[in-house]
Amino acid sequence: MTPVPPAQATLESAPPGTGGAARLRCSGEWTVRGIGPLERALDAVTWPAQGDVVVDGSAISILDTAGAWLLHRTTGRLERQGRTVRIEGLRPELASLLKLIASKELPLEATEAPAETWLARVGRHSWSALDGGTGYLAFVGESFLALLRVLRQPHRIRWRAILHNVQTAGVAALPITGLLSFLLGIVIAYQGADQLQRFGANIYVADLVGISMLRELSPMMTAIIIAGRSGSAYTAQIGTMKVTEEIDALRTIGVPPLELLVLPKLIALVIVMPLLTVYTDVTGVLGGMIMAQWKLGVDFRAFLDRLDDAIVLSTYWTGLVKAPVFAMIVALVGCYRGFQVTGSAESVGTQTTMSVVQSIFLVIVTDAMFSIVFLWLEL
């Protein structure tokens, strides 16, 4: 096999005082296969300070698009320095290719993108947030329409998937939610103990723990834990199916992805979130009872008697009514972010992070709105 001649470019300077032109002799195959070493060789050439340059291409055997672009870039750089460049000896077909490359007005040097102004950044982020918000609202609407269709045809409800999600999102979450709620009750009782002791109001630690846990902290902390635990899992599962094109396969065989992937998770969370909230109410109050006895000397019987006087039915229901709303937020945000995956593992990780952050943000905002509404209703 005949070895392939390497592409070469040799500069021959004009004799001093003759006023002649420097000559760049090009030879070999100027193709993409050897473009790297050739480009480095041309960049290392020391061009004369002045005078014309003649590019001799008579020895070029093969010239492809990459080689023609490199030759065009070299001549363009010399012309911008004020020199006159002539190309001689190229075969007609190679000269036609070089002329075609020059006519495309390709950038000869990498240009730095102009810096984005702060107003452009604000506009871009605002538009992105608006587009994401409208997309999420559209997804919520489609999910509830799918839920109505399923309720009209109960045989389409996927009970096995619902029970599986009840197991994974509810029963399996009992240890972590119970432990954190128990510790939260301890912290609240401990922080209030010093203040209550100053006024001799030790018994009112039951009011502090009971009202704060049942009305605010239990439903919100349970939702935050489920958002980090189950909401992220929903995003990762649906996102992985999107990457592997399983979502498209479901649509192809006539299975609506919302009915198979979203509704079982939504229904399961709406079922288990109130139950988890009741469970965390109990564990949180238990933690406060233990700390009250240890720090304030309030025994369990006195604590429970005071708790019975402090807690009214509206206090219990105002906390419990938040749980299904938080469940819908966590489930819908987690599933929506899963459908936003664009087809790479990096996108799965990004959307999972966004799912947790947005779920927690919306849960806290919704909890604040509940507080305003309850204030108006004097609950």
Side-chain angles (χ1 to χ4, degrees), residues 9-65:
T10 306
L11 180 68
E12 298 177 357
S13 301
T18 62
R23 181 172 291 271
L24 180 68
R25 295 189 181 275
C26 305
S27 60
E29 295 187 356
W30 283 48
T31 62
V32 68
R33 180 164 46 186
I35 202 70
L38 181 60
E39 184 176 10
R40 290 191 293 270
L42 286 172
D43 291 338
V45 169
T46 303
W47 302 97
Q50 56 185 357
D52 299 339
V53 176
V54 175
V55 178
D56 184 2
S58 58
I60 295 179
S61 57
I62 300 177
L63 181 69
D64 67 0
T65 306

Side-chain angles (χ1 to χ4, degrees), residues 256-278:
L258 290 179
E259 293 185 12
L260 178 64
L261 301 175
V262 178
L263 295 187
K265 296 176 175 58
L266 176 62
I267 295 172
L269 273 192
V270 171
I271 293 173
V272 303
M273 191 76 82
L275 300 177
L276 286 175
T277 300
V278 174

Side-chain angles (χ1 to χ4, degrees), residues 145-197:
L145 289 176
L147 180 61
L148 291 177
R149 289 195 300 269
V150 168
L151 293 178
R152 285 199 301 264
Q153 302 174 348
H155 66 276
R156 300 178 63 176
I157 299 177
R158 301 177 183 273
W159 294 108
R160 185 183 296 273
I162 292 174
L163 293 176
H164 173 73
N165 283 281
V166 168
Q167 166 69 27
T168 57
V171 179
L174 288 175
I176 183 64
T177 54
L179 176 61
L180 291 182
S181 178
F182 178 80
L183 296 177
L184 190 58
I186 290 178
V187 170
I188 293 173
Y190 177 78
Q191 294 298 328
D194 291 336
Q195 301 301 321
L196 294 173
Q197 280 180 327

